[in-house]
Amino acid sequence: MLDFPRWKVVSIWATIIALVALAIPSLLPQRITDSWGAFPHPRINLGLDLAGGSYLLLEADVNDIATTRLEAMREQVQTEMRRQRPRIEIGDISTRGGRLSFLLRDPSQVDAARERLTQIAGTGVGLTGQREWDIQVVDSSRIVLTPTQAGLTQAIDTAMGDATEVVRRRIDELGTREPTIIRQGSNRIVVQVPGLQNPQALKDLLGKTAKLEFKLVDESATPQQLASGQAPAGSQILPYPNNPTGLPVIAVKRSAILTGDQLTDARQEFSQQTNEPQVAITFDSQGGRKFAQVTRENVNKPFAIILDNQVISAPNINEPILGGRAQVSGSFTTESANALAIALRSGKLPVTLKVVEESTVGPDLGAESIRAGILASAVAVALVVAFMLITYGRFGVYANLAVVINVFVIVGVLALIGGTLTLPGIAGFVLTIGTAVDANVLINERIREERRRGRSVVQSVELGYKEASRTIFEANMTHAISGIIMFLLGSGPVKGFAVVLLIGIATSVFTAVLFTRMLTAQWLRRAKPKTINI
């Protein structure tokens, strides 16, 4: 018991001093720590319920997922039938009624066409083995592909997973701290951004699909076809608000020559000719080569730059565009151009998201919660300190010192890991303070029992710490298991409570067992008491 090496004493005090130093910036006003400049001062992040901020509930359009999937399959079928030998000639592919259908020009190729479709349509989904598409042959020459419910469910799950990651990247680009982005149900995403009081910019950014495409303009379309909305075969009509001809639409080829998936960077800049805001984009090596080849083959022809199925400009290709760079210009402001650059850098959303619920939490409510939490913590500390001091005397002083240090240590650990404190986290904080002395109560009561049995002071203290430590670790292990389960399975407030609880369990064992044992050992070695008042 008395054998407490100097290296252990130094390491314990060094750990405590370091964590207390880390806790200090979080306990000081923001204006004071901001004046420290580049001096590192990690702070605890406050959650939405404490710092205020914006809450959005986004919902995916399931029909949009089905339409996108249908269009992707249409292009895949068209490519696959013509890529391999022998080439299978097909007519125009119809997507009416939520399914694909097309005619074979040579009915004798039905079996070959069905075999190729089986390869690209997928053999099964998940463990059930259900097919993603049903393939039927109608009237000996027409093939119909119908999406199955299992395939659609899998597509929705994949799209929502990808959309969640895109939303997270876009919010990270805004520079916000500790946002909460989680899936809710099969087609919803919850977004909480602490400190953001104006959600409009966030809504505009997250509502932009950022599906960028480059397509050749179909110059064969007549004004009558454009006005009636009837595009030539192999083309489509898209809105073009800034069309110089005055018509708010334009005809473009269905097949994209390049998409935003091949971008490596997008930045807002200003045009050297007009000084207007624009977005400079950079393609990857493959996209740069393809863009150069297409522009080389289509000099003096216009191509359309399409964002979210709307043409924003249709410049003429005056010369081959080499180097893998291009500029997207339109009626941009600096803010809208920067927002578009962020959206393009973070990737396109695989599905359209719409805001179905939103709220803005002001900082006043959070400030009141913080004041209430501080008051509750102060009352809890005061009552615990008074009880331990009256009940256990000198050993109560050691326990109280451990409680106070434990408060600073918890704050320091939270700041070190960049944790977020929420209102349930404050509840976990107060609970940790109330239970922090449990270990010392067990130890002190065990020391009392050993003294009643007639053991010496040193033997009583040594056995008290040794025997009580088993119970302490077992009890805290059950608490830790509960906290881990809440952390893994919970979300939002539950996870915030679990984080503070787990940190509090670890720090309370450290301060209540190791720290108080060190203080007790140093006192026994120095004073050599014949009896103790406990």
Side-chain angles (χ1 to χ4, degrees):
M1 174 67 199
L2 299 180
D3 184 20
F4 223 89
R6 180 175 294 274
W7 68 266
K8 187 177 290 187
V9 174
V10 172
S11 61
I12 291 174
W13 277 114
T15 302
I16 291 175
I17 291 172
L19 291 175
V20 170
L22 287 172
I24 291 176
S26 298
L27 302 176
L28 295 175
Q30 181 80 41
R31 64 180 184 277
I32 295 178
T33 56
D34 288 344
S35 65
W36 294 355
F39 183 79
H41 48 277
R43 293 179 63 92
I44 294 178
N45 302 308
L46 299 180
L48 186 68
D49 49 3
L50 297 181
S54 298
Y55 166 89
L56 297 177
L57 179 61
L58 307 174
E59 185 177 71
D61 186 352
V62 177
N63 293 330
D64 181 49
I65 296 176
T67 302
T68 302
R69 187 164 173 259
L70 202 66
E71 185 63 24
M73 178 56 72
R74 185 193 68 79
E75 294 183 3
Q76 195 172 2
V77 168
Q78 206 167 35
T79 302
E80 190 67 22
M81 291 299 171
R82 297 172 180 174
R83 185 177 63 87
Q84 297 185 24
R85 298 292 179 184
R87 183 170 177 170
I88 299 177
E89 296 292 340
I90 62 174
D92 291 337
I93 302 177
S94 171
T95 58
R96 286 194 297 269
R99 57 183 186 174
L100 294 175
S101 65
F102 57 89
L103 281 170
L104 295 172
R105 301 192 188 282
D106 184 359
S108 65
Q109 293 182 310
V110 167
D111 292 337
R114 189 184 182 95
E115 183 178 350
R116 292 187 190 180
L117 291 175
T118 302
Q119 294 174 356
I120 64 175
T123 56
V125 177
L127 298 176
T128 61
Q130 295 178 323
R131 301 182 66 87
E132 297 183 38
W133 298 82
D134 284 333
I135 305 172
Q136 295 179 314
V137 179
V138 181
D139 298 332
S140 72
S141 61
R142 178 177 292 276
I143 296 181
V144 178
L145 280 81
T146 306
T148 64
Q149 185 59 46
L152 181 59
T153 301
Q154 178 67 26
I156 292 173
D157 183 68
T158 302
M160 290 304 299
D162 294 342
T164 303
E165 290 304 314
V166 172
V167 168
R168 180 174 287 107
R169 288 197 297 269
R170 291 187 183 182
I171 293 177
D172 288 343
E173 288 272 1
L174 290 176
T176 56
R177 301 190 66 184
E178 294 297 322
T180 299
I181 302 127
I182 55 175
R183 286 181 59 179
Q184 185 181 86
S186 61
N187 66 328
R188 288 186 170 186
I189 301 174
V190 174
V191 177
Q192 297 179 358
V193 186
L196 185 65
Q197 299 300 321
N198 182 12
Q200 188 57 48
L202 182 64
K203 289 166 57 180
D204 293 342
L205 180 61
L206 299 184
K208 191 185 296 296
T209 307
K211 180 182 179 183
L212 183 67
E213 297 174 298
F214 294 82
K215 296 183 177 182
L216 292 173
V217 175
D218 188 349
E219 298 181 280
S220 66
T222 64
Q224 292 76 18
Q225 288 177 313
L226 295 175
S228 62
Q230 298 294 324
S235 299
Q236 61 182 147
I237 293 178
L238 295 178
Y240 184 14
N242 299 321
N243 194 341
T245 64
L247 282 174
V249 294
I250 190 173
V252 298
K253 298 292 185 180
R254 282 190 175 274
S255 299
I257 57 177
L258 214 58
T259 66
D261 295 334
Q262 295 166 302
L263 291 180
T264 59
D265 194 18
R267 300 287 170 183
Q268 183 268 324
E269 61 178 28
F270 293 94
S271 171
Q272 295 181 354
Q273 286 77 26
T274 63
N275 203 35
E276 293 180 349
Q278 63 182 17
V279 178
I281 57 178
T282 305
F283 299 107
D284 58 20
S285 57
Q286 182 180 359
R289 287 194 299 270
K290 187 174 181 181
F291 195 53
Q293 178 185 350
V294 171
T295 54
R296 189 182 296 112
E297 295 173 352
N298 294 275
V299 174
N300 296 324
K301 295 181 181 178
F303 74 101
I305 302 174
I306 304 164
L307 180 66
D308 294 344
N309 290 322
Q310 180 172 297
V311 178
I312 56 177
S313 64
N316 204 58
I317 304 175
N318 297 321
E319 59 184 11
I321 302 175
L322 309 176
R325 285 179 55 86
Q327 284 74 39
V328 178
S329 58
S331 301
F332 291 129
T333 63
T334 302
E335 291 77 13
S336 63
N338 187 58
L340 175 58
I342 291 175
L344 293 177
R345 282 199 305 272
S346 60
K348 72 174 182 180
L349 280 170
V351 60
T352 303
L353 297 175
K354 61 180 180 180
V355 179
V356 295
E357 184 180 337
E358 66 175 290
S359 62
T360 302
V361 181
D364 296 337
L365 181 61
E368 181 62 32
S369 300
I370 293 174
R371 285 193 293 270
I374 293 174
L375 178 61
S377 301
V379 171
V381 170
L383 292 177
V384 168
V385 165
F387 172 80
M388 295 299 292
L389 191 61
I390 293 171
T391 306
Y392 299 113
R394 173 181 289 275
F395 289 85
V397 173
Y398 294 158
N400 290 336
L401 185 58
V403 169
V404 174
I405 290 178
N406 187 51
V407 172
F408 284 92
V409 169
I410 293 175
V411 175
V413 172
L414 277 173
L416 180 64
I417 65 175
T420 300
L421 186 64
T422 61
L423 193 56
I426 291 180
F429 199 90
V430 176
L431 178 63
T432 301
I433 294 173
T435 59
V437 294
D438 282 356
N440 289 111
V441 170
L442 291 171
I443 292 170
N444 294 339
E445 289 298 328
R446 189 57 191 254
I447 294 174
R448 275 180 172 176
E449 291 180 8
E450 297 302 329
R451 286 293 292 160
R452 291 193 194 103
R453 293 173 182 174
R455 298 185 187 277
S456 66
V457 172
V458 174
Q459 287 178 331
S460 298
V461 174
E462 185 172 8
L463 285 173
Y465 273 94
K466 181 179 179 181
E467 298 299 328
S469 295
R470 299 175 184 175
T471 305
I472 292 168
F473 284 113
E474 289 174 1
N476 281 283
M477 186 58 68
T478 58
H479 289 163
I481 291 173
S482 301
I484 291 172
I485 292 174
M486 285 190 291
F487 178 80
L488 295 177
L489 301 182
S491 61
V494 175
K495 183 170 289 189
F497 176 82
V499 168
V500 177
L501 180 64
L502 290 171
I503 293 174
I505 289 172
T507 58
S508 63
V509 171
F510 170 74
T511 56
V513 177
L514 196 59
F515 177 68
T516 59
R517 180 173 176 267
M518 179 190 69
L519 296 179
T520 304
Q522 291 178 332
W523 173 67
L524 290 175
R525 186 186 300 114
R526 183 179 62 254
K528 296 181 175 59
K530 300 299 182 182
T531 184
I532 53 175
N533 181 20
I534 184 169

